Amino acid sequence: MKLPSKAAALATASLAVGGAALVATPAQADLVTLCSGHGGAVTLPTDLAVPEGESCYLDGTVIQGDVTVRADANLHIIGGEIEGEVTVQGNGYFDASSTTLGDSVVNNGSFGTHLEESTSGAGVSALPVEGGNTEGFVFVVDSSVEGLNSEVGEVYVSGSRIGGDVSADGAAYVDVYDTAVRGDLSVTGAAGGGILCDSEVLGAATYSGGGGPVAVGAGEQEGFCESLNYVDGDLTVTGVTGGVYVDNNIVGGDLVTSDNQPVAQVGDNNRVRGDVLTQEVALRSFAAAAAEEFEAHEEGLTEQVEEARAETIDEAMAAGPAF
């Protein structure tokens, strides 16, 4: 999936800002560059912060320190590099396109983080904080991160590589499409369930508690899944309300479904090396309501990102050169 990028259209025409105006010197931890406005292909040998309520748009910028997106602030960086950690504070927004991140991205009650065609040398986390946004999102598309941990908001991953575990406890939902997870996938208490589709999990995949629907494979007839899921360890779905659908999976361990209300629907296209321990009925159909809900997840996040990008760029360009 490719989002329309107003950033790309503006990059050449708008961001020829004095690249020689900043001379690189050894990074100093006590120096912070404030960004309100737009900046181009320069190297900042300092930390960077976007002040509260401001917007910053960077094209080709290298930041050799940490980045802080303060409360209600926005940062969109395209074609750049951040060597340190990114912290996104209450209701802040961070968007990285075609960018290399050397350390983790930490969302503390943020509006959201969107990574597209980007790489991170560490993980992405979304944590609840008092007074922070409880409906934020982590939206990872065609990117590579070392792990993902969420305790709040929406989680959507597509076309990506997760180098370690994906863990979500109390997230709104967790949708994983066409993605390789090199560790365990654990979803606990997700009110909106989630889907695992066309993906590979090299550990165990566990869904426990929370609402639904939960679909592990099972969406082929609705156009969600074009191939099988592969789960190297156990695949377990327990205590989920709102519907469970399990089909089109290769499972290296056991397949377990129990205590789901209604009872899980398990199809005939699962290949399981271990034991099959299920309370189940045959897979009748992938409910239309479930299909519509999964479609709405992506559509809703895409709309939020497009609006946030447009707002960030417009405000940053209006503010003038940042440095």
Side-chain angles (χ1 to χ4, degrees), residues 136-321:
F137 60 84
V138 174
F139 191 8
V140 179
V141 180
D142 297 335
S143 296
S144 176
V145 303
E146 286 306 300
L148 198 160
N149 173 51
S150 179
E151 298 178 18
V152 64
E154 303 158 297
V155 178
Y156 191 103
V157 183
S158 176
S160 296
R161 180 189 183 279
I162 311 296
D165 297 338
V166 174
S167 176
D169 187 351
Y173 62 78
V174 180
D175 290 354
V176 179
Y177 292 86
D178 188 26
T179 290
V181 178
R182 313 304 286 181
D184 295 332
L185 169 65
S186 176
V187 180
T188 303
I195 187 169
L196 181 67
C197 181
D198 295 340
S199 294
E200 175 184 58
V201 179
L202 291 189
T206 305
Y207 296 81
S208 59
V214 168
V216 185
E220 185 175 359
Q221 62 270 41
E222 296 294 337
F224 284 107
C225 303
E226 298 178 359
S227 62
L228 299 170
N229 288 320
Y230 175 74
V231 178
D232 191 53
D234 296 338
L235 170 57
T236 305
V237 187
T238 60
V240 172
T241 60
V244 173
Y245 309 86
V246 180
D247 202 11
N248 301 318
N249 299 288
I250 299 174
V251 182
D254 299 337
L255 171 60
V256 181
T257 66
S258 62
D259 300 322
N260 300 295
Q261 296 293 334
V263 176
Q265 295 186 36
V266 179
D268 296 327
N269 295 321
N270 297 298
R271 287 177 272 173
V272 182
R273 290 189 176 183
D275 295 328
V276 178
L277 308 169
T278 64
Q279 284 181 330
E280 66 181 73
V281 296
L283 183 68
R284 297 185 296 272
S285 64
F286 194 53
E292 291 173 359
E293 187 164 341
F294 290 125
E295 289 175 340
H297 291 173
E298 181 180 15
E299 291 171 358
L301 285 180
T302 300
E303 181 177 349
Q304 288 187 77
V305 166
E306 290 175 346
E307 290 178 354
R309 279 183 167 178
E311 178 181 338
T312 299
I313 295 169
D314 287 347
E315 292 182 355
M317 298 308 297

Side-chain angles (χ1 to χ4, degrees), residues 80-173:
E81 181 179 355
I82 299 172
E83 296 182 6
E85 182 178 80
V86 178
T87 302
V88 191
Q89 297 178 346
N91 210 41
Y93 175 62
F94 175 62
D95 190 326
S97 304
S98 303
T99 291
T100 300
L101 309 173
D103 207 333
S104 57
V105 179
V106 181
N107 295 274
N108 292 323
S110 71
F111 171 76
T113 279
H114 178 241
L115 305 181
E116 183 173 8
E117 296 182 346
S118 295
T119 61
S120 172
V124 178
S125 62
L127 307 173
V129 297
E130 185 175 355
N133 194 321
T134 59
E135 299 179 353
F137 60 84
V138 174
F139 191 8
V140 179
V141 180
D142 297 335
S143 296
S144 176
V145 303
E146 286 306 300
L148 198 160
N149 173 51
S150 179
E151 298 178 18
V152 64
E154 303 158 297
V155 178
Y156 191 103
V157 183
S158 176
S160 296
R161 180 189 183 279
I162 311 296
D165 297 338
V166 174
S167 176
D169 187 351
Y173 62 78

